[in-house]
Amino acid sequence: MPGIDYRAARARLPLADVLGLLGFVPAARRGRQLRGPCPLHCSRSATSRSFAAHLGKGAWHCFRCGAGGNALDLWAAVTRQPPHAAVLDLCERLGRDVPWLLPGPRAPRHRAGGTPMPGP
Ligand SMILES: [Zn+2]
C-alpha cells in the first residue's frame, strides 16, 4: 500500500471537521480558539474547558490529560488507530480523496539486481 502524504492530509482534513465528527461542542469560543470538554479523556462536565483547539493553526491541547497535536493526531488518539489508518478512516467519513504519496517522475526505479525472474 502506498504511503500517505501527511502534509496534504492535514490540509484536506481540517481540525474543525474532525471536531465535528467527534460531536465536540465548545463551551467557550474566542475567534478561532475553542475551549471545551476533552474528547480524549471524556471530561465529565459538558462545560469543561480543559480542551483547547485552535482552528487557524489546526492544533489542539488538553490541559487535563496533557495530550495535544494536530487534527490527525486527535482522530488517531480518539479512535485508537495508527496514523495511517486514521487518515484513511477520516477521508472515508468526510468524503475526501486519500492523499496517497505517489512516487514522482524523478523517483529512482529499483531493479532486482539483474536477477532473472523465476520462470514458470
Ligand atoms: Zn484530555
Side-chain angles (χ1 to χ4, degrees), residues 12-26:
R12 204 169 287 189
L13 305 163
L15 183 57
D17 289 1
V18 173
L19 289 173
L21 276 182
L22 294 171
F24 176 78
V25 179

Side-chain angles (χ1 to χ4, degrees), residues 37-43 50-51 60-67:
C38 175
L40 266 180
H41 76 255
C42 299
S43 307
S50 54
F51 180 85
W60 58 277
H61 177 79
C62 175
F63 294 95
R64 178 67 70 83
C65 62

Side-chain angles (χ1 to χ4, degrees), residues 32-86:
R32 303 202 74 193
Q33 290 188 68
L34 311 177
R35 295 293 290 268
C38 175
L40 266 180
H41 76 255
C42 299
S43 307
R44 288 205 197 111
S45 160
T47 55
S48 165
R49 298 182 183 188
S50 54
F51 180 85
H54 196 295
L55 300 183
K57 293 177 187 163
W60 58 277
H61 177 79
C62 175
F63 294 95
R64 178 67 70 83
C65 62
N70 59 41
L72 306 180
D73 297 326
L74 180 60
W75 188 256
V78 172
T79 60
R80 295 163 193 261
Q81 295 182 91
H84 190 276

